[in-house]
Amino acid sequence: NFNSFAVYPNPSKGTVTLSLSSNADVKVSLYDISGRNIYNQTFNNSDLSFNQELKFNSLSKGVYLLNVESDGKKASKKLIRE
């Protein structure tokens, strides 16, 4: 697990900030409630921590699962789009 992993604001209107304690590249995936992968992006990172704004404004209202992978670690958070 990561020392810190946050997605805010949550619930959101679509734009969220992902904050992660990692100094390696970060792969972000988003899945809808039925398990379909609807977003994949890998971000280059060499800082001590990772902060990235993600725009999910085109998503329908609902519950999603945000997965992150970095440096061999994985974590997930529920993301609510209002």
Side-chain angles (χ1 to χ4, degrees):
N1 287 339
F2 299 98
N3 290 335
S4 70
F5 173 32
V7 180
Y8 55 91
N10 192 10
S12 85
K13 301 282 186 201
T15 301
V16 297
T17 299
L18 170 62
S19 177
L20 190 64
S21 60
S22 177
N23 62 352
D25 292 353
V26 177
K27 180 181 176 188
V28 179
S29 304
L30 189 70
Y31 295 85
D32 67 12
I33 199 72
S34 64
R36 288 182 306 151
N37 181 285
I38 55 175
Y39 176 86
N40 280 307
Q41 181 75 41
T42 299
F43 297 95
N44 295 326
N45 181 47
S46 58
D47 293 334
L48 292 177
S49 63
F50 176 79
N51 289 289
Q52 180 69 44
E53 185 177 85
L54 303 171
K55 295 190 182 288
F56 297 128
N57 300 321
S58 63
L59 294 179
S60 300
K61 292 180 181 180
V63 178
Y64 298 86
L65 186 64
L66 183 74
N67 291 342
V68 295
E69 293 181 40
S70 183
D71 199 25
K73 299 176 185 175
K74 296 181 182 181
S76 299
K77 286 231 188 252
K78 184 169 43 172
L79 177 65
I80 300 170
R81 167 75 166 93
E82 328 182 287

